[in-house]
């Protein structure tokens, strides 16, 4: 009798590199960052340091910080103990993180952050500005991309434009909305909803999305600084839904290796005139340029992580 033995194949279990988020899964950027780092194990501490006890290495450490100094010592402890290759600093919108910039950025080989502040004197060459991104839930599979010719709305705006605290922002957005309404009534306008699924539904059925001016401001010691800035979540929420973000005065706003090919003009009057004169072919070409740009950005970001 001949006995046949089946050789067992050795199973190799691949250990995924770790991404540690200091906060929890409710942060709005989670889906966006996961799209950049899909082949990682994402661990959400929710400030519970005990969850780190069984972790031997951390490749990426993510903080969501707008200046609450009570977290600083815990950030420092994690960085010094685990020595992550990449620190991602999200939501520093109000120029309140000077200590983190000066003392923690130099401890990591690479730092990614949103908002290209010129307020900060960055301590090294390891800081890179990444796009703001979009809310979790915006970028998911859509049953069938709606062709430009079939889209319901010529333009849409979802966001606060009447009650902005900053007078310059409020005046700019009201002027923009009123001009767009006057020139084309085929629109969707909502200043209240924050539901990402509703936003995705509308922008996927929209051709153009006006952005509007944002004013970044912060206080350093006794000096109040301001920067005019036209980038916001709306830019990327529109883009990933196949709509085209449009704006004015975007000089010095973007600080990426290749800046987005969005449609711009010097005034809203000129901007609307440009949009109204575009053919379907020109609109489709612009949308394709934006999609290619976004895919290239994500690919390039992934390639920079060592």
């Amino acid at each position: 009798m001949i006995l046949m033995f089946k050789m067992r194949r050795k199973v190799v279990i691949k250990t995924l590199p770790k991404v540690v988020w200091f906060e929890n899964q409710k942060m709005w950027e989670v889906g966006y960052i996961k799209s950049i780092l899909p082949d990682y194990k994402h661990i959400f501490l929710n400030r519970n340091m005990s969850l780190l006890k069984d972790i031997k290495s951390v490749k990426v450490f993510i903080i969501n910080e707008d200046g609450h100094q009570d977290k600083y010592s815990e950030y420092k402890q994690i960085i010094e103990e685990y020595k992550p290759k990449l620190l991602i600093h999200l939501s520093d919108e109000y120029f309140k993180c000077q200590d983190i910039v000066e003392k923690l950025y130099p401890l990591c080989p690479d730092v990614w952050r949103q908002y290209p502040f010129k307020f900060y004197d960055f301590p090294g060459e390891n800081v890179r500005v990444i796009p703001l991104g979009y809310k979790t839930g915006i970028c998911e599979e859509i049953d069938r991309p709606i062709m430009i010719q079939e889209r319901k709305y010529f333009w849409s705006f979802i966001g606060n434009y009447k009650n902005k605290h900053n007078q310059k922002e409020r005046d700019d957005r009201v002027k923009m909305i009123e001009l767009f309404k006057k020139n084309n009534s085929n629109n969707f306008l909502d200043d209240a909803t924050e539901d990402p699924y509703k936003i995705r539904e509308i922008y996927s059925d929209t051709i153009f999305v006006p952005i509007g001016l944002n004013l970044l401001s912060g206080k350093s010691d006794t000096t109040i600084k301001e920067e005019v800035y036209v980038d916001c979540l709306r830019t990327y929420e529109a883009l990933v839904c196949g709509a085209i973000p449009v704006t004015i005065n975007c000089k010095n706003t973007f600080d990426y290796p290749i800046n987005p090919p969005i449609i711009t003009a010097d005034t809203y009057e000129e901007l609307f005139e440009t949009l109204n004169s575009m053919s379907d072919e020109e609109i489709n070409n612009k949308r394709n340029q934006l999609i290619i740009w976004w895919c290239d950005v994500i690919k390039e970001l992934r390639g920079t992580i060592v």
Side-chain angles (χ1 to χ4, degrees):
M1 179 185 294
I2 299 175
L3 297 178
M4 301 294 291
F5 294 93
K6 185 176 182 180
M7 296 292 292
R8 287 187 177 182
R9 178 177 293 180
K10 185 177 180 180
V11 177
V12 178
I13 300 176
K14 182 180 179 181
T15 302
L16 295 177
K18 309 289 192 305
V19 176
V20 169
W21 298 67
F22 192 76
E23 302 291 348
N24 60 36
Q25 288 178 282
K26 293 182 179 180
M27 292 165 57
W28 64 261
E29 299 103 333
V30 170
Y32 164 51
I33 296 298
K34 279 188 170 183
S35 76
I36 303 174
L37 306 172
D39 299 323
Y40 289 73
K41 182 176 181 180
H42 292 258
I43 299 165
F44 297 87
L45 297 183
N46 197 20
R47 301 195 67 177
N48 182 359
M49 299 288 279
S50 66
L51 295 178
L52 290 168
K53 64 181 180 180
D54 296 324
I55 297 176
K56 295 181 180 179
S57 66
V58 173
K59 186 144 190 182
V60 181
F61 180 42
I62 300 178
I63 60 176
N64 181 57
E65 183 56 69
D66 57 6
H68 294 108
Q69 295 301 312
D70 61 315
K71 307 172 189 174
Y72 176 84
S73 61
E74 294 166 294
Y75 293 158
K76 189 171 186 288
Q77 178 184 339
I78 292 173
I79 290 172
E80 289 183 336
E81 182 172 347
Y82 291 94
K83 297 179 174 53
K85 300 293 185 183
L86 173 64
L87 172 68
I88 302 180
H89 184 185
L90 303 174
S91 296
D92 176 21
E93 189 174 355
Y94 300 107
F95 185 51
K96 295 180 180 179
C97 298
Q98 193 68 45
D99 282 350
I100 290 172
V101 170
E102 290 181 355
K103 298 175 183 177
L104 297 188
Y105 281 19
L107 300 180
C108 300
D110 290 297
V111 178
W112 292 355
R113 59 169 287 116
Q114 300 154 312
Y115 304 103
F117 274 134
K118 307 301 187 295
F119 305 152
Y120 289 130
D121 182 15
F122 292 122
E125 299 297 322
N126 64 332
V127 180
R128 175 185 182 132
V129 176
I130 65 172
L132 293 180
Y134 46 81
K135 292 178 183 176
T136 299
I138 293 285
C139 189
E140 295 185 6
E141 289 295 326
I142 299 171
D143 292 338
R144 182 179 70 86
I146 302 174
M147 299 301 293
I148 287 295
Q149 296 87 340
E150 300 173 0
R151 294 200 170 205
K152 184 175 181 180
Y153 305 110
F154 184 76
W155 67 274
S156 294
F157 183 93
I158 299 175
N160 188 344
Y161 71 96
K162 293 181 180 178
N163 301 310
K164 297 290 289 183
H165 295 299
N166 187 284
Q167 182 72 38
K168 291 181 182 178
E169 288 186 17
R170 183 166 64 250
D171 291 348
D172 173 84
R173 293 193 184 186
V174 169
K175 176 182 178 181
M176 176 184 73
I177 294 299
E178 291 306 315
L179 186 139
F180 270 63
K181 285 168 62 177
K182 177 182 176 181
N183 284 277
N184 191 298
S185 60
N186 182 17
N187 66 77
F188 181 91
L189 186 60
D190 190 325
D191 64 354
T193 188
E194 295 185 0
D195 180 358
Y197 301 99
K198 179 65 174 178
I199 294 171
R200 186 183 76 195
E201 175 190 339
I202 297 302
Y203 285 167
S204 297
D205 210 3
T206 295
I207 299 175
F208 299 114
V209 176
I211 304 305
L213 178 150
N214 290 280
L215 192 68
L216 294 182
S217 61
K219 186 174 181 180
S220 176
D221 298 324
T222 58
T223 304
I224 297 177
K225 303 182 179 182
E226 290 186 338
E227 285 185 10
V228 175
Y229 187 73
V230 297
D231 200 13
C232 69
L233 299 184
R234 199 172 301 109
T235 305
Y236 307 99
E237 291 172 349
L239 191 155
V240 297
C241 290
I244 299 173
V246 301
T247 189
I248 63 169
N249 297 326
C250 71
K251 296 175 182 177
N252 303 319
T253 284
F254 301 104
D255 193 20
Y256 313 139
I258 301 176
N259 289 330
I262 62 178
I263 298 174
T264 66
D266 291 330
T267 67
Y268 286 123
E269 289 81 3
E270 291 176 6
L271 178 62
F272 198 90
E273 185 177 339
T274 297
L275 305 184
N276 221 22
S277 66
M278 293 180 70
S279 66
D280 288 349
E281 182 180 3
E282 289 173 323
I283 292 171
N284 278 316
N285 287 341
K286 177 57 67 174
R287 184 176 68 165
N288 291 338
Q289 288 175 15
L290 284 161
I291 293 170
I292 290 170
W293 173 81
W294 183 249
C295 292
D296 286 346
V297 166
I298 300 301
K299 182 180 178 180
E300 199 268 339
L301 284 172
R302 290 173 183 166
T304 62
I305 305 174
V306 296

